Amino acid sequence: MAAPDPHQAADPAAVKRHPTLFRAIRKRRNPRLRRTDITVTDDAAVKRAVKAASLGNAMEWFDFGIYSYLAVTIGHVFFPSGNETTQLLSSFATFAVAFLVRPLGGMFFGPMGDKIGRKKVLALTMILMAVGTFAIGLIPSHGTIGVWAAVLLIFFRMLQGFSTGGEYGGASTFIAEYAPDKRRGFFGSFLEFGTLAGYVCAAGLVTTLYALLSDAQMETWGWRIPFLVAGPLGLVGLYLRLRLDETPAFQKLEGGTAHASEAADGVETTAKGDLAKIFRQYWRTLILCICLVGAYNVTDYMLLSYMPTYLSDELGYSETHGLLILLAVMVLLMAVISQIGRASDHFGRKPLLMTGMLGFLFLSLPAFLLIRVDGIFPITVGMLLLGLSLVCMLGTMSAALPALFPTNVRYGSLSVGYNLSASLFGGTTPLVITALISWTGSNLMPAYYAMAAALVGVIAVACMKETAQKPLIGSPPSVETEEEAAALVRAQAPEPKF
């Protein structure tokens, strides 16, 4: 927090009597930046960081996506009750279990990332996710070991959720701290490009399996293939992450290469990942983060995770049919998401986020009415309306959320806020929607649920501050060239008096 203006804190008469003294106090509290205070980014290093964080994120969400797209089959394998709705609810309940432990993972990995570094923790989360996913592919079915099959499934889902608790906060922090201030939205958008790529790969693999194998083959052994693929992919992600250097902002905290003098006002100089401090000093920002992420997660998981099941289980389409339409929509979103990030750098985070929230508020009901119409064209148009609203948030959130918190608690605060919200509202979305449809008999419940979430999001976006093209809190300015750094220093020079 910046120091108060001494003119405001002191008696105006005293300021008038001693102008030189108060001018000196003001300069001491708000010293000018020196050139050494400004971080000039290495373009090659930024691109390596973005690639490693995004590819690692893609592999994490590939792991999560395959469970979503195989929910019906997994319900048959592990929860053979004979009732389709009960099986589906049981499968989605197990999906939600992973999210219940995500806040614990966030509270564990987040402060650790503020203490020992972003890179080491992101490598650890990559290992745990790959192990958890690979192990699911090896679990015997209910028919072989009975109830222990479900117990093992829940255990490894919890391991997945625990590791994911440190993933998004760390990956978004990693990119945000590497990127120059004026292009943080553009580079941050590649993190969600990775998310979409993970989902696309998962959906593509599952669609291929459904097309090539019979239902009996899928339930016997076919469902295992996507989970077993996660092992080698995890090793690739681990290799990429271990090759990176720590972020300049964290090196500054640790007294590394990214030095900054006291002239960088508000720059943090210690790394204390203190949960008590996060809840005590940043609870207002945490609430804002939870509301933003809750609105974003409900709409995200509704479209990217739940929609194929909705099309097959509620509207009677084949699993392949729903997945192919979703694949086409996600590929389109991947094509435009970096431009959304670029637009958020130019126009600001708030306008893009507000566009996405208002899109879900006003377009969800028309979109689901179209989806209910028989035919590929109306279903595709309905899903595109939802997808274009979602991409406004996907392309912006990765830059907006890390900017809410200062550097010394950024990883921890973001991991806690993001995962509390994801646990309460994101992972429970398929379960809640399935239950609401079962209780009410209305196939429009997903639209109403998304509209309620979007309303909360509209209020949250209205309350947040604009952060585009500004330095991260607790970090010095970050620019792309020496010329920009010199211009920043010159801009603070006093005007000559003649």
Side-chain angles (χ1 to χ4, degrees), residues 293-303 425-426 429 433 446 449-450 453-454:
V293 174
Y296 156 61
N297 268 215
V298 166
T299 52
D300 187 354
Y301 284 102
M302 181 195 71
L303 180 61
F425 307 110
T429 294
I433 292 176
Y449 195 56

Side-chain angles (χ1 to χ4, degrees), residues 457-485:
V458 167
I459 297 170
V461 173
C463 293
M464 68 180 285
K465 295 179 181 178
E466 183 57 71
T467 58
Q469 300 199 19
K470 297 178 182 178
L472 294 168
I473 304 171
S475 292
S478 178
V479 298
E480 291 185 273
T481 65
E482 292 285 352
E483 290 75 18
E484 285 184 77

Side-chain angles (χ1 to χ4, degrees), residues 100-346:
L100 295 179
V101 297
R102 276 183 65 164
L104 299 178
M107 292 177 190
F108 178 79
F109 291 115
M112 184 189 295
D114 287 326
K115 287 179 179 179
I116 68 172
R118 286 65 164 121
K119 169 186 168 179
K120 295 174 184 175
V121 175
L122 284 173
L124 180 57
T125 61
M126 189 85 256
I127 294 170
L128 292 178
M129 173 59 91
V131 169
T133 309
F134 187 77
I136 289 176
L138 299 176
I139 300 173
S141 68
H142 182 277
T144 304
I145 61 173
V147 71
W148 286 105
V151 171
L152 288 172
L153 176 64
I154 291 170
F155 173 78
F156 288 118
R157 283 292 296 163
M158 291 175 71
L159 181 62
Q160 283 185 315
F162 189 74
S163 68
T164 307
E167 171 62 25
Y168 184 89
S172 58
T173 293
F174 202 82
I175 292 178
E177 291 182 351
Y178 254 108
D181 295 334
K182 291 185 178 181
R183 300 185 70 195
R184 189 169 295 117
F186 172 71
F187 286 118
S189 67
F190 284 95
L191 184 65
E192 296 294 357
F193 180 92
T195 300
L196 289 171
Y199 275 123
V200 165
C201 292
L205 181 54
V206 172
T207 301
T208 301
L209 290 172
Y210 275 130
L212 296 178
L213 303 178
S214 66
D215 289 345
Q217 289 173 318
M218 278 297 294
E219 291 183 19
T220 303
W221 55 270
W223 67 271
R224 299 181 185 276
I225 294 174
F227 290 98
L228 297 177
V229 167
L233 288 179
L235 292 176
V236 173
L238 179 63
Y239 170 75
L240 290 171
R241 288 185 170 181
L242 288 175
R243 290 181 65 232
L244 292 173
D245 293 326
E246 194 50 81
T247 68
F250 186 80
Q251 289 181 26
K252 161 62 179 65
L253 293 185
E254 292 296 287
T257 57
H259 297 291
S261 74
E262 65 176 2
D265 181 43
V267 175
E268 305 289 349
T269 55
T270 59
K272 297 180 180 177
D274 184 355
L275 274 177
K277 179 180 179 181
I278 290 171
F279 284 105
R280 184 173 61 250
Q281 295 186 14
Y282 301 102
W283 62 270
R284 292 182 180 87
T285 313
L286 273 177
I287 292 174
L288 177 62
C289 178
I290 288 170
C291 291
L292 286 169
V293 174
Y296 156 61
N297 268 215
V298 166
T299 52
D300 187 354
Y301 284 102
M302 181 195 71
L303 180 61
L304 301 185
S305 294
Y306 174 72
M307 191 58 71
T309 302
Y310 177 79
L311 291 173
S312 62
D313 199 63
E314 303 298 336
L315 302 185
Y317 292 97
S318 69
E319 286 87 351
T320 305
H321 189 139
L323 281 170
L324 282 173
I325 295 174
L326 181 60
L327 265 172
V329 171
M330 288 194 293
V331 169
L332 176 63
L333 300 189
M334 289 174 67
V336 302
I337 193 168
S338 63
Q339 298 308 312
I340 296 296
R342 198 188 301 272
S344 79
D345 284 329
H346 182 73

